[in-house]
Amino acid sequence: MDEIPLGWRTDLDVLSRSGSHITDAGDHLVVETPDNPGYYWGNFVLVTNPGLAERPRDCLALMEREFPSAGHVAIGLPAAPDPQAWEGLDVDLERDEVLGADRPPRGRELPTGYVARPLAGDDWEQSLRNEVAESGAADPVAYADFARRRIASRQRMVAHGDAVFVGAFVGEELVADLGIVLGEDAARYQSVATVAAHRRRGLASHLLQVAGEWAQGRGTTRWVIIVEPGSDAARLYRACGMEPVDESWQVFRGGV
């Protein structure tokens, strides 16, 4: 998969380890997650042929053909598209920044009163509650179903030794968490989140280092995370030693 951009390669690594099915159809990949139909970026088309990517209507027809009952559109692109070509097609064209490093991120010391450890047992249920509460989803019930199914897949990855999810706690209360998944040529961070009342205390940066060192101990030599360009998160990760190495483009329309 060397021709696939780094961000998408690490996406595919995570998805394959979490139980998704990936089918090579020649000029595109079909990614399916039967156990989680509400996972939009677990049920999508990744266009791998640059020529096809230049034909937006063909890309949309491809999504409809591969996922005829889907209420969403999710298409990954191999390179930066022509924005004008997608105008008037009722989709959002999105760009993410791919940050990388050749050593674990440098995190801040954990503040007094907090402890950090891998998630286990009831911690996963706390992680779910925090995620749903912070999501702002229009349909919290549907979002909770998607998130619960995704957590189940993450627990399986942890059990197989492919990932670790770590949290910062005050007593038994989970107030920040994130994960990292081992991949073929990089370890990919997942779902960095901090409860609003505990932000700006260095919790996320500390957990980035903890998870990064876990991956380093298992042979990782490259660390990757994907962020919204110009976001607070992007600035945090850069401060921890991660730098822009690529970009990732996608087309999206929400479910109905």
Coordinates of all heavy atoms in Angstrom, one line a residue, residues 147-198:
A147 N -20.7 4.4 19.3 CA -19.5 4.5 20.1 C -19.3 3.2 21.0 O -18.2 2.7 21.1 CB -19.6 5.7 21.1
R148 N -20.4 2.6 21.4 CA -20.3 1.4 22.2 C -19.7 0.2 21.3 O -18.9 -0.6 21.8 CB -21.6 1.0 22.8 CG -21.6 -0.3 23.7 CD -23.0 -0.6 24.2 NE -23.5 0.5 25.1 CZ -23.1 0.7 26.3 NH1 -22.3 -0.1 26.9 NH2 -23.7 1.7 27.0
R149 N -20.2 0.1 20.1 CA -19.7 -0.9 19.2 C -18.2 -0.7 18.9 O -17.4 -1.6 18.8 CB -20.5 -0.9 17.9 CG -21.9 -1.4 18.1 CD -22.7 -1.2 16.8 NE -24.1 -1.5 17.0 CZ -24.7 -2.6 16.6 NH1 -23.9 -3.5 16.0 NH2 -26.0 -2.9 16.7
R150 N -17.8 0.6 18.7 CA -16.4 0.9 18.5 C -15.5 0.5 19.7 O -14.4 0.0 19.5 CB -16.2 2.4 18.1 CG -14.8 2.7 17.6 CD -14.7 4.0 17.0 NE -14.9 5.1 18.0 CZ -14.7 6.4 17.8 NH1 -14.2 6.8 16.6 NH2 -15.0 7.3 18.7
I151 N -16.0 0.8 20.9 CA -15.3 0.5 22.1 C -15.1 -1.0 22.2 O -14.0 -1.5 22.5 CB -16.0 1.0 23.3 CG1 -15.6 2.5 23.5 CG2 -15.5 0.3 24.6 CD1 -16.3 3.2 24.6
A152 N -16.1 -1.8 21.8 CA -16.0 -3.3 21.8 C -14.8 -3.7 20.9 O -14.0 -4.6 21.2 CB -17.3 -3.9 21.4
S153 N -14.7 -3.1 19.7 CA -13.6 -3.4 18.8 C -12.3 -3.0 19.4 O -11.3 -3.7 19.2 CB -13.8 -2.8 17.4 OG -13.6 -1.4 17.5
R154 N -12.2 -1.9 20.1 CA -11.0 -1.5 20.7 C -10.6 -2.4 21.8 O -9.4 -2.7 22.0 CB -11.1 0.0 21.2 CG -11.2 1.0 20.1 CD -11.5 2.4 20.6 NE -11.4 3.3 19.5 CZ -11.7 4.6 19.6 NH1 -12.1 5.1 20.8 NH2 -11.5 5.4 18.6
Q155 N -11.5 -2.9 22.6 CA -11.2 -3.9 23.6 C -10.6 -5.1 23.0 O -9.7 -5.7 23.6 CB -12.5 -4.2 24.4 CG -12.9 -3.0 25.3 CD -14.2 -3.3 26.0 OE1 -15.3 -3.5 25.4 NE2 -14.2 -3.4 27.3
R156 N -11.1 -5.5 21.9 CA -10.5 -6.7 21.2 C -9.1 -6.5 20.8 O -8.2 -7.3 20.9 CB -11.4 -7.1 20.0 CG -12.8 -7.7 20.4 CD -13.5 -8.3 19.2 NE -13.8 -7.4 18.2 CZ -15.0 -6.7 18.1 NH1 -15.9 -6.9 19.1 NH2 -15.2 -5.9 17.1
M157 N -8.8 -5.2 20.2 CA -7.5 -4.9 19.8 C -6.5 -5.0 21.0 O -5.4 -5.5 21.0 CB -7.4 -3.6 19.2 CG -7.9 -3.5 17.8 SD -7.5 -2.0 16.9 CE -8.5 -0.8 17.7
V158 N -7.0 -4.4 22.2 CA -6.2 -4.4 23.4 C -5.9 -5.9 23.8 O -4.8 -6.3 24.1 CB -6.9 -3.7 24.5 CG1 -6.2 -3.9 25.8 CG2 -6.9 -2.2 24.2
A159 N -6.9 -6.7 23.8 CA -6.8 -8.1 24.2 C -5.8 -8.8 23.3 O -5.1 -9.7 23.8 CB -8.1 -8.8 24.1
H160 N -5.7 -8.5 22.0 CA -4.8 -9.1 21.1 C -3.4 -8.5 21.1 O -2.5 -9.0 20.4 CB -5.3 -9.0 19.6 CG -6.6 -9.8 19.4 ND1 -7.5 -9.5 18.5 CD2 -7.1 -10.9 20.0 CE1 -8.5 -10.3 18.5 NE2 -8.2 -11.2 19.4
G161 N -3.2 -7.4 21.9 CA -1.9 -6.8 22.0 C -1.6 -5.8 20.9 O -0.5 -5.4 20.8
D162 N -2.6 -5.4 20.1 CA -2.4 -4.5 19.0 C -2.6 -3.0 19.4 O -2.3 -2.1 18.6 CB -3.4 -4.8 17.9 CG -3.2 -6.1 17.2 OD1 -2.0 -6.5 17.1 OD2 -4.2 -6.7 16.7
A163 N -3.1 -2.8 20.6 CA -3.3 -1.4 21.0 C -3.3 -1.3 22.5 O -3.4 -2.3 23.3 CB -4.7 -1.0 20.5
V164 N -3.2 0.0 23.0 CA -3.5 0.3 24.4 C -4.2 1.6 24.4 O -4.1 2.5 23.6 CB -2.1 0.4 25.2 CG1 -1.4 1.7 24.8 CG2 -2.4 0.4 26.7
F165 N -5.2 1.7 25.4 CA -5.9 2.9 25.6 C -5.6 3.3 27.1 O -5.8 2.4 28.0 CB -7.4 2.7 25.4 CG -7.7 2.7 23.9 CD1 -7.5 1.6 23.1 CD2 -8.3 3.8 23.3 CE1 -7.7 1.5 21.8 CE2 -8.5 3.8 21.9 CZ -8.3 2.7 21.2
V166 N -5.2 4.5 27.3 CA -4.7 4.9 28.6 C -5.6 6.1 29.0 O -6.1 6.9 28.2 CB -3.3 5.3 28.6 CG1 -2.4 4.1 28.4 CG2 -2.9 6.4 27.6
G167 N -5.7 6.3 30.3 CA -6.6 7.4 30.9 C -5.9 8.1 32.0 O -5.0 7.5 32.7
A168 N -6.3 9.3 32.3 CA -5.9 10.0 33.5 C -7.1 10.1 34.4 O -8.3 10.3 34.0 CB -5.5 11.5 33.1
F169 N -6.9 9.8 35.7 CA -8.0 9.6 36.6 C -7.8 10.5 37.8 O -6.6 10.8 38.2 CB -8.0 8.2 37.2 CG -8.3 7.1 36.1 CD1 -7.4 6.7 35.2 CD2 -9.6 6.6 36.0 CE1 -7.7 5.7 34.3 CE2 -9.9 5.7 35.1 CZ -9.0 5.2 34.2
V170 N -8.9 11.0 38.4 CA -8.9 11.6 39.7 C -9.7 10.6 40.6 O -10.9 10.5 40.4 CB -9.6 13.0 39.7 CG1 -9.7 13.6 41.1 CG2 -8.9 13.9 38.8
G171 N -9.0 10.0 41.5 CA -9.7 8.9 42.2 C -10.0 7.8 41.1 O -9.2 7.3 40.4
E172 N -11.3 7.4 41.1 CA -11.8 6.4 40.1 C -12.4 7.1 38.9 O -12.9 6.4 38.0 CB -12.7 5.4 40.7 CG -12.1 4.6 41.8 CD -10.9 3.7 41.2 OE1 -11.1 3.2 40.1 OE2 -9.9 3.7 41.8
E173 N -12.4 8.4 38.8 CA -13.1 9.2 37.8 C -12.2 9.3 36.6 O -11.1 9.9 36.7 CB -13.6 10.5 38.2 CG -14.3 11.3 37.1 CD -14.7 12.7 37.5 OE1 -14.3 13.1 38.7 OE2 -15.3 13.5 36.7
L174 N -12.6 8.9 35.4 CA -11.8 9.0 34.2 C -12.1 10.4 33.6 O -13.2 10.8 33.3 CB -12.2 8.0 33.1 CG -11.6 8.1 31.8 CD1 -10.1 7.8 31.8 CD2 -12.3 7.1 30.8
V175 N -11.0 11.2 33.5 CA -11.2 12.6 33.0 C -10.5 12.9 31.7 O -10.7 14.0 31.1 CB -10.7 13.6 34.1 CG1 -11.6 13.5 35.3 CG2 -9.3 13.4 34.4
A176 N -9.6 12.0 31.2 CA -9.0 12.1 29.9 C -8.5 10.8 29.4 O -8.2 9.9 30.3 CB -7.8 13.1 30.0
D177 N -8.6 10.5 28.1 CA -8.1 9.2 27.6 C -7.8 9.3 26.2 O -8.2 10.3 25.5 CB -9.1 8.1 27.9 CG -10.5 8.3 27.2 OD1 -10.9 9.5 27.2 OD2 -11.0 7.4 26.6
L178 N -7.0 8.4 25.7 CA -6.6 8.3 24.3 C -6.1 6.9 24.1 O -5.9 6.1 25.0 CB -5.6 9.3 23.9 CG -4.3 9.4 24.6 CD1 -3.3 8.3 24.2 CD2 -3.6 10.7 24.5
G179 N -5.9 6.5 22.8 CA -5.4 5.2 22.5 C -4.3 5.3 21.4 O -4.0 6.4 20.8
I180 N -3.6 4.2 21.2 CA -2.6 4.1 20.2 C -2.7 2.7 19.6 O -2.8 1.7 20.4 CB -1.2 4.5 20.6 CG1 -0.3 4.7 19.4 CG2 -0.6 3.4 21.6 CD1 1.0 5.4 19.7
V181 N -2.6 2.5 18.3 CA -2.7 1.2 17.7 C -1.4 0.9 16.9 O -1.0 1.8 16.1 CB -3.9 1.2 16.7 CG1 -4.1 -0.2 16.1 CG2 -5.2 1.5 17.5
L182 N -0.9 -0.2 17.0 CA 0.3 -0.6 16.3 C 0.0 -0.9 14.8 O -1.0 -1.5 14.5 CB 1.0 -1.8 16.9 CG 1.3 -1.8 18.4 CD1 1.8 -3.1 18.9 CD2 2.3 -0.7 18.7
G183 N 0.8 -0.4 13.9 CA 0.6 -0.6 12.5 C 1.8 -1.2 11.8 O 2.8 -1.5 12.4
E184 N 1.7 -1.3 10.5 CA 2.8 -1.9 9.7 C 4.0 -1.0 9.7 O 5.1 -1.5 9.8 CB 2.3 -2.1 8.3 CG 1.2 -3.2 8.2 CD 1.7 -4.6 8.6 OE1 2.9 -4.9 8.4 OE2 0.9 -5.4 9.1
D185 N 3.8 0.3 9.5 CA 5.0 1.2 9.4 C 4.8 2.4 10.4 O 5.7 3.3 10.3 CB 5.2 1.7 8.0 CG 4.0 2.4 7.4 OD1 3.0 2.5 8.1 OD2 4.1 2.9 6.3
A186 N 3.8 2.4 11.2 CA 3.7 3.5 12.2 C 2.6 3.1 13.2 O 1.8 2.3 13.0 CB 3.2 4.8 11.5
A187 N 2.7 3.7 14.4 CA 1.7 3.6 15.4 C 0.7 4.8 15.3 O 1.2 5.9 15.2 CB 2.3 3.5 16.8
R188 N -0.6 4.6 15.3 CA -1.5 5.6 15.1 C -2.3 5.9 16.4 O -2.9 5.1 17.0 CB -2.5 5.2 14.0 CG -3.7 6.0 13.8 CD -3.4 7.4 13.2 NE -4.6 8.1 13.0 CZ -5.4 8.0 11.9 NH1 -5.1 7.3 10.9 NH2 -6.6 8.7 11.9
Y189 N -2.3 7.2 16.8 CA -3.1 7.6 17.9 C -4.6 7.7 17.6 O -4.9 7.9 16.4 CB -2.6 9.0 18.4 CG -1.3 9.0 19.1 CD1 -0.1 9.4 18.5 CD2 -1.3 8.6 20.5 CE1 1.1 9.4 19.2 CE2 -0.1 8.6 21.2 CZ 1.1 9.0 20.6 OH 2.2 9.0 21.3
Q190 N -5.4 7.5 18.6 CA -6.8 7.4 18.5 C -7.5 8.2 19.6 O -7.2 8.1 20.7 CB -7.3 6.0 18.6 CG -6.8 5.1 17.5 CD -7.5 5.3 16.2 OE1 -8.6 4.9 16.0 NE2 -6.8 5.9 15.2
S191 N -8.5 9.0 19.2 CA -9.5 9.6 20.1 C -9.0 10.2 21.3 O -9.2 9.8 22.5 CB -10.5 8.4 20.5 OG -11.2 7.9 19.4
V192 N -8.2 11.3 21.1 CA -7.7 12.1 22.3 C -8.9 12.9 22.8 O -9.5 13.7 22.1 CB -6.6 13.0 21.8 CG1 -6.0 13.7 23.0 CG2 -5.5 12.1 21.1
A193 N -9.2 12.8 24.1 CA -10.3 13.5 24.7 C -10.0 13.8 26.2 O -9.5 13.0 26.9 CB -11.6 12.6 24.6
T194 N -10.4 15.0 26.6 CA -10.3 15.4 28.0 C -11.7 16.1 28.4 O -12.2 16.9 27.6 CB -9.2 16.4 28.2 OG1 -8.0 15.9 27.7 CG2 -9.1 16.8 29.6
V195 N -12.2 15.7 29.5 CA -13.4 16.3 30.0 C -13.2 17.8 30.2 O -12.1 18.2 30.7 CB -13.8 15.6 31.4 CG1 -15.0 16.3 32.0 CG2 -14.1 14.2 31.1
A196 N -14.2 18.6 29.9 CA -14.0 20.1 29.8 C -13.4 20.6 31.1 O -12.5 21.5 31.0 CB -15.4 20.7 29.5
A197 N -13.9 20.2 32.2 CA -13.4 20.8 33.5 C -12.0 20.5 33.8 O -11.4 21.1 34.7 CB -14.3 20.3 34.6
H198 N -11.3 19.6 33.1 CA -10.0 19.2 33.3 C -9.0 19.5 32.2 O -7.9 19.1 32.2 CB -9.9 17.7 33.6 CG -10.6 17.3 34.9 ND1 -10.0 17.2 36.1 CD2 -12.0 17.0 35.1 CE1 -10.9 16.9 37.0 NE2 -12.1 16.8 36.4

